[in-house]
Amino acid sequence: MVKVQSHKNTAFILTLLCVALIGATISIGQYGVYVPLIVLLCIRYIYDIINRRKGLLPLEDVYLYAIYVVIFYICTLINGDGANGRNSLLINYGICLLSFLVISKEIRSEGTMKRFIRILICIVIINCIITIMQYYNNPLSWSVWYFFNDAKTTSTAYLVNNMNSGSQLLGKSKIFCPGIFPSVVNNGYFVASLGVFCFYPQFSKNRYLGRIISALLVLTILVTLMMIQQRMAFFLFIIVTCVINYKRHKVATVFTIILAAIAFELVDMQFDESVIGRLADTEDKIRATLYETGIEYVTTHLLVGGRAGYERINEHSAHNIFLNAIMYGGLFGGIVIIAIYFRMCYKAVRIIVLQFNHRRNVSVAFAYSLLTYNLISLTHNSSLLTGDPIIWILYAMMLVAQKYEVAKSKTRIAMDNRLC
């Protein structure tokens, strides 16, 4: 009976975490699911405290993020932002912190983390199928999109309504494949970061069949990212693919790269916009302008920042986590966010480097995923500042997995010493 209850508790927590991951895109009528979600997470965390469950993770980053939230709120009272999206951001921040705290207290086995990875793979592959269907303008795929996104409140809905036949082609300016998300940017973040997990789980007891399934899923991710047309997401996933494959099959990976380079020269292939769309254009004058004006703006609004003021100048956010950090929370809030950002990236890189030859370690999979998501925020707006729960969920899972792997390693060493 206890075992069944444990499974039920695990299923409940994993369900909450999955809703947190994609919840920003879900609309019920004109309302989202984050308000009831934060209530459920809060109740769960209070339940854990009452039952005196100990947390596995250190809370320095939680405290730092809480300090940032206070600074951010104070800045909005001074810098002219006012209530411009403030309540939504505060709810997002609360979900981020509660997700981390609940994972710290609730996730108690490596098996649970592997189960969570399988769920994430299923979600991302379903989203990929919907994205590919959108590329071919399949009506069912747009019905699914409208189910997850309210047309009255989603700013990109006009793109779907005004889509013409034949516009969904690489090289066309109106290509729009958002999957289940409000925009292609959100879709790129999601597919590139969670697609990494397709390299890790055992899909079959037969090693070769498992590799074939994994390769097909990775190919699906690459095709989807091609259709999404988000450059940073696409190139980061390519880099991660090369690194992971080099780690597993060094000679084969190097040979494949050399062969591809030779074929590229011999065939004289031209990867222009007619072939791979905007992925061929690595120069971005719009972003260059955003960064230039962003630097000018933060230098004159250094102390308290101001998102609204900058958006009035450019009609866009700064598309960079460092510039946005100061615009959201001023100098002091920016310092705190940048500190958290580098702490997360450092820990992820450290796990990847130290466990480079450990092929199946769960912590490495979460590290790649977290690092990918955070690096995309160098050229886009979704980040720690917008309160994306996926960042804190991946971070907490990575740290918990690392703890279990270290404990397992110590146990194995102790047993070997006894045998000796």
Side-chain angles (χ1 to χ4, degrees):
M1 181 65 71
V2 176
K3 213 168 191 180
V4 173
Q5 186 63 40
S6 175
H7 282 311
K8 286 182 178 179
N9 286 338
T10 301
F12 177 71
I13 295 303
L14 294 184
T15 301
L16 289 183
L17 295 178
C18 288
V19 173
L21 280 170
I22 63 172
T25 186
I26 301 174
S27 299
I28 302 174
Q30 295 183 17
Y31 302 95
V33 297
Y34 271 7
V35 172
L37 179 62
I38 196 172
V39 173
L40 288 174
L41 285 170
C42 192
I43 292 171
R44 191 68 192 189
Y45 184 60
I46 293 170
Y47 172 82
D48 290 336
I49 293 173
I50 292 172
N51 285 274
R52 297 180 180 179
R53 289 187 173 178
K54 292 184 178 180
L56 293 176
L57 304 178
L59 300 179
E60 290 91 343
D61 296 293
V62 169
Y63 297 143
L64 284 172
Y65 204 54
I67 291 170
Y68 157 74
V69 173
V70 173
I71 296 173
F72 162 76
Y73 188 87
I74 294 171
C75 286
T76 62
L77 301 175
I78 302 170
N79 61 20
D81 286 351
N84 179 26
R86 183 173 60 199
N87 291 339
S88 297
L89 285 169
L90 290 175
I91 291 171
N92 288 10
Y93 296 152
I95 290 173
C96 289
L97 293 174
L98 286 168
S99 296
F100 185 92
L101 293 169
V102 168
I103 288 171
S104 177
K105 289 181 178 292
E106 294 273 359
I107 303 301
R108 286 289 182 267
S109 73
E110 194 175 22
T112 301
M113 286 177 278
K114 288 181 178 179
R115 196 176 309 128
F116 185 55
I117 287 176
R118 292 189 188 99
I119 293 170
L120 294 181
I121 291 172
C122 290
I123 294 173
V124 79
I125 293 301
I126 290 170
N127 178 66
C128 285
I129 293 169
I130 293 168
T131 302
I132 294 169
M133 289 169 67
Q134 287 171 349
Y135 180 77
Y136 293 102
N137 269 329
N138 183 282
L140 178 60
S141 64
W142 294 118
S143 298
V144 173
W145 187 83
Y146 275 114
F147 175 81
F148 282 98
N149 299 274
D150 181 65
K152 294 180 181 178
T153 57
T154 305
S155 60
T156 51
Y158 77 95
L159 291 173
V160 182
N161 295 332
N162 297 327
M163 194 169 290
N164 297 318
S165 177
S167 62
Q168 295 283 72
L169 291 173
L170 294 176
K172 296 282 187 177
S173 60
K174 294 182 180 179
I175 188 169
F176 181 68
C177 301
I180 63 173
F181 298 95
S183 72
V184 290
V185 175
N186 300 129
N187 202 13
Y189 267 96
F190 185 85
V191 174
S193 58
L194 298 190
V196 172
F197 292 120
C198 292
F199 289 102
Y200 281 88
Q202 294 285 353
F203 294 102
S204 172
K205 291 181 179 179
N206 184 302
R207 184 176 61 177
Y208 298 104
L209 179 59
R211 286 180 180 177
I212 292 170
I213 295 172
S214 180
L216 289 173
L217 293 182
V218 170
L219 182 61
T220 303
I221 298 293
L222 286 169
V223 171
T224 304
L225 287 171
M226 179 75 74
M227 294 173 176
I228 293 171
Q229 290 283 287
Q230 289 303 300
R231 287 165 292 194
M232 191 66 162
F234 179 81
F235 292 125
L236 280 175
F237 189 79
I238 290 289
I239 292 169
V240 170
T241 300
C242 292
V243 172
I244 292 174
N245 279 293
Y246 177 77
K247 179 181 70 174
R248 296 179 181 179
H249 316 288
K250 294 180 175 62
V251 177
T253 302
V254 173
F255 179 75
T256 302
I257 293 172
I258 293 172
L259 196 64
I262 293 171
F264 179 79
E265 287 297 325
L266 293 176
V267 179
D268 191 27
M269 294 179 67
Q270 298 296 322
F271 289 110
D272 55 20
E273 289 192 21
S274 64
V275 179
I276 58 174
R278 68 195 297 265
L279 298 178
D281 183 14
T282 54
E283 294 183 5
D284 195 326
K285 293 180 181 179
I286 295 176
R287 271 190 177 76
T289 302
L290 289 175
Y291 298 155
E292 185 180 340
T293 55
I295 292 170
E296 291 176 2
Y297 185 84
V298 297
T299 53
T300 56
H301 299 75
L302 190 60
L303 192 60
V304 294
R307 294 172 294 127
Y310 179 77
E311 287 179 13
R312 279 194 293 270
I313 296 171
N314 282 292
E315 298 183 355
H316 292 285
S317 295
H319 282 64
N320 176 270
I321 186 172
F322 301 131
L323 294 174
N324 278 332
I326 297 174
M327 291 178 193
Y328 274 66
L331 175 62
F332 300 109
I335 290 171
V336 174
I337 280 294
I338 291 169
I340 297 171
Y341 179 83
F342 278 114
R343 281 171 61 87
M344 285 183 171
C345 291
Y346 170 75
K347 290 177 183 179
V349 171
R350 190 169 183 271
I351 287 173
I352 291 168
V353 172
L354 293 179
Q355 303 188 51
F356 197 70
N357 293 318
H358 295 270
R359 300 181 180 181
R360 294 296 174 185
N361 279 4
V362 174
S363 64
V364 181
F366 282 111
Y368 275 119
S369 184
L370 173 65
L371 190 62
T372 300
Y373 200 96
N374 273 336
L375 289 178
I376 295 174
S377 67
L378 292 173
T379 58
H380 287 287
N381 294 314
S382 297
S383 64
L384 288 162
L385 296 156
T386 51
D388 293 13
I390 184 174
I391 298 173
W392 289 90
I393 292 170
L394 293 173
Y395 187 44
M397 286 288 189
M398 179 187 78
L399 296 178
V400 171
Q402 185 189 29
K403 277 190 171 293
Y404 279 111
E405 286 159 6
V406 169
K408 189 191 295 184
S409 178
K410 288 180 178 178
T411 303
R412 191 182 299 114
I413 292 170
M415 290 178 66
D416 291 342
N417 290 336
R418 287 179 186 176
L419 291 173
C420 292

